[in-house]
Amino acid sequence: MVALNKYKALPEHAKRRLLVYNDSEVDAADVVALLNSIGYTAITVVTDPRNLMATLTTAGAYATLVIDLRMPDLDGLKAIYFIRKKFSAAELPLLAVSDADAPELCNAALLAGANDHVTRPIDPADVGLRIRNLLTIRTIYKSGQDAQNNLAREVAVRTTKLNMLIQNGLLMSRIKNPDTLIRHTLFEGRRILHCDAATMYRLTPQRSLRFCMRTRSDGLPDSEIPLYDSATGLPNDHYASTWAALNQRPVRIDDVYSETRFDLSGTRNFDAHTGYRTVSMLTVPLMPREGYVLGVLQFINKLDDDTDAVIPFSDEMVTWVEALASQAAVALDNLALNQAQRTQLQSV
């Protein structure tokens, strides 16, 4: 049994798509039966040479091609030459089959582009090991292609986000109303992060955080969160919002109900009263310049792009929302400075 398993299809290979090309239906059926016996189940047969290239190019990706070298119409060598013009040896590994009395034909097949060859009568152990090796080659190639494609997609996504931030900064610079700017920041941030809700806290002259605006329709609490304890004067850094403002750094919470660093009783009480379920949270300070905080942005429940399931905010998302918060803070600060200048001019 151990010897038998050495050439059986690996579990990860058993359902890979194999293509058998032989102009004899009887010979092709024998090859299919042999492949089935060693565990391969997704096998397609081509017996008409006119259909070979069309099958390879239109029927989806095949992991390996088993090709007979001696055929009267489009013989195996010519077929290999045609195939290699379109598919590399890693993209479509190729196993050539020939008669034992024609070793020169096997060598010619290798020169034409075949990855490997076997001779008739085909030994199950021999063909099983060779196909396993070819499928491993294909797996490595596919992994490399996937990595390359993922990198290209990641670059495209980051480029899109960068352009979006640039356009967003230009738009913010043209907004003249603070409430309009805050609303734009919240909804744009929610869209960029693909999350469920966003809230802005503004820093008051009394050094407390006051609820300013949120994307959800429920009412804003009247309470404020002081940055410093009124009795001791110590920093009130028990809350995610105040910690972010005091330390001028973002706070990412993956699960509100398992978080132990901060007091999240207010969020949990809100969930208990409304039936909402807060899971992930990202809090970012609004800083137009170093050492100066206008407030904080808080985003709730990052959603998976495909399933909309609630997931944690990623490190990359933190970077993007910090950039957005910086843009908003600079725009708000500029509006405040312009308003102060107008007021001074009017008083003069």
Side-chain angles (χ1 to χ4, degrees):
M1 179 61 70
V2 174
L4 181 66
N5 288 334
K6 286 183 178 179
Y7 64 86
K8 285 284 189 178
L10 297 173
E12 63 269 26
H13 289 167
K15 294 184 179 181
R16 298 286 176 83
R17 301 180 67 204
L18 307 183
L19 183 64
V20 173
Y21 173 47
N22 194 312
D23 65 349
S24 168
E25 293 184 1
V26 174
D27 290 344
D30 290 340
V31 174
V32 171
L34 187 150
L35 294 174
N36 287 154
S37 71
I38 58 178
Y40 296 100
T41 58
I43 304 170
T44 301
V45 173
V46 172
T47 57
D48 188 337
R50 294 170 298 181
N51 296 333
L52 176 60
M53 296 306 297
T55 301
L56 287 172
T57 55
T58 62
Y62 287 93
T64 292
L65 170 62
V66 181
I67 185 169
D68 200 287
L69 293 178
R70 285 188 170 173
M71 290 177 283
D73 294 320
L74 179 62
D75 67 62
L77 285 179
K78 291 181 181 178
I80 293 172
Y81 280 118
F82 288 141
I83 290 167
R84 283 294 172 251
K85 289 181 179 179
K86 187 169 183 63
F87 301 98
S88 70
E91 184 179 8
L92 180 63
L94 197 153
L95 179 65
V97 180
S98 68
D99 298 322
D101 60 354
E104 73 287 348
L105 195 56
C106 292
N107 292 334
L110 294 175
L111 288 173
N115 297 71
D116 205 348
H117 73 273
V118 293
T119 57
R120 279 185 288 265
I122 302 175
D123 177 58
D126 189 23
V127 77
L129 291 174
R130 293 175 190 273
I131 287 183
R132 181 185 293 186
N133 290 339
L134 296 184
L135 289 174
T136 300
I137 291 173
R138 178 61 163 67
T139 299
I140 294 172
Y141 166 81
K142 189 68 168 54
S143 297
Q145 288 295 107
D146 290 344
Q148 184 176 348
N149 292 336
N150 289 337
L151 178 60
R153 283 194 293 269
E154 184 177 344
V155 170
V157 168
R158 291 190 176 188
T159 301
T160 300
K161 287 182 177 178
L162 180 59
N163 290 335
M164 187 164 51
L165 284 173
I166 293 172
Q167 294 300 321
N168 188 65
L170 294 173
L171 178 61
M172 283 183 173
S173 67
R174 294 194 292 266
I175 296 177
K176 303 305 180 184
N177 181 279
D179 289 339
T180 303
L181 178 58
I182 292 171
R183 179 178 177 81
H184 170 81
T185 301
L186 289 178
F187 280 89
E188 185 68 6
R190 189 184 69 172
R191 185 179 71 85
I192 291 175
L193 295 175
H194 189 56
C195 64
D196 191 50
T199 300
M200 181 180 286
Y201 301 78
R202 291 297 301 272
L203 187 65
T204 69
Q206 293 75 36
R207 307 296 291 169
S208 63
L209 292 178
R210 176 177 55 83
F211 287 92
C212 176
M213 189 180 295
R214 62 173 34 151
T215 57
R216 295 176 62 84
S217 59
D218 43 277
L220 291 170
D222 294 329
S223 59
E224 297 181 3
I225 311 174
L227 292 186
Y228 298 92
D229 187 277
S230 58
T232 64
L234 295 175
N236 180 23
D237 54 5
H238 306 301
Y239 304 98
S241 57
T242 56
W243 191 97
L246 289 165
N247 292 274
Q248 301 176 15
R249 290 165 53 193
V251 175
R252 190 182 71 179
I253 296 173
D254 294 341
D255 185 356
V256 163
Y257 286 85
S258 63
E259 176 62 42
T260 58
R261 295 172 298 167
F262 303 105
D263 182 356
L264 296 169
S265 56
T267 300
R268 295 166 185 156
N269 290 335
F270 173 82
D271 286 358
H273 283 92
T274 63
Y276 187 75
R277 179 73 176 182
T278 306
V279 180
S280 56
M281 180 185 293
L282 176 59
T283 307
V284 179
L286 280 162
M287 296 192 303
R289 54 188 178 275
E290 191 69 26
Y292 179 44
V293 176
L294 293 177
V296 296
L297 290 174
Q298 195 166 76
F299 298 92
I300 302 295
N301 284 356
K302 162 68 179 162
L303 303 175
D304 184 89
D305 292 337
D306 298 320
T307 66
D308 274 353
V310 178
I311 60 174
F313 291 91
S314 66
D315 290 337
E316 182 185 6
M317 287 295 179
V318 175
T319 302
W320 287 112
V321 79
E322 281 185 298
L324 176 69
S326 179
Q327 288 180 334
V330 169
L332 283 170
D333 195 42
N334 288 339
L335 286 178
L337 290 173
N338 290 336
Q339 180 59 44
Q341 289 175 349
R342 286 196 297 269
T343 302
Q344 184 177 12
L345 288 174
Q346 288 171 358
S347 63
V348 172

mmCIF file of all heavy atoms in Angstrom, residues 54 266 305:
data_model
loop_
_atom_site.group_PDB
_atom_site.id
_atom_site.type_symbol
_atom_site.label_atom_id
_atom_site.label_comp_id
_atom_site.label_asym_id
_atom_site.label_seq_id
_atom_site.Cartn_x
_atom_site.Cartn_y
_atom_site.Cartn_z
ATOM 1 N N ALA A 54 -8.119 25.228 -29.968
ATOM 2 C CA ALA A 54 -9.355 25.886 -29.523
ATOM 3 C C ALA A 54 -9.716 25.444 -28.109
ATOM 4 O O ALA A 54 -10.152 26.250 -27.278
ATOM 5 C CB ALA A 54 -10.492 25.569 -30.486
ATOM 6 N N GLY A 266 -19.603 52.934 27.521
ATOM 7 C CA GLY A 266 -20.570 53.756 26.799
ATOM 8 C C GLY A 266 -20.989 53.117 25.490
ATOM 9 O O GLY A 266 -22.179 53.103 25.137
ATOM 10 N N ASP A 305 -15.022 43.777 1.944
ATOM 11 C CA ASP A 305 -15.414 44.319 0.634
ATOM 12 C C ASP A 305 -16.320 43.372 -0.135
ATOM 13 O O ASP A 305 -17.126 43.810 -0.960
ATOM 14 C CB ASP A 305 -14.165 44.623 -0.199
ATOM 15 C CG ASP A 305 -13.362 45.775 0.376
ATOM 16 O OD1 ASP A 305 -13.948 46.592 1.111
ATOM 17 O OD2 ASP A 305 -12.148 45.855 0.104
#
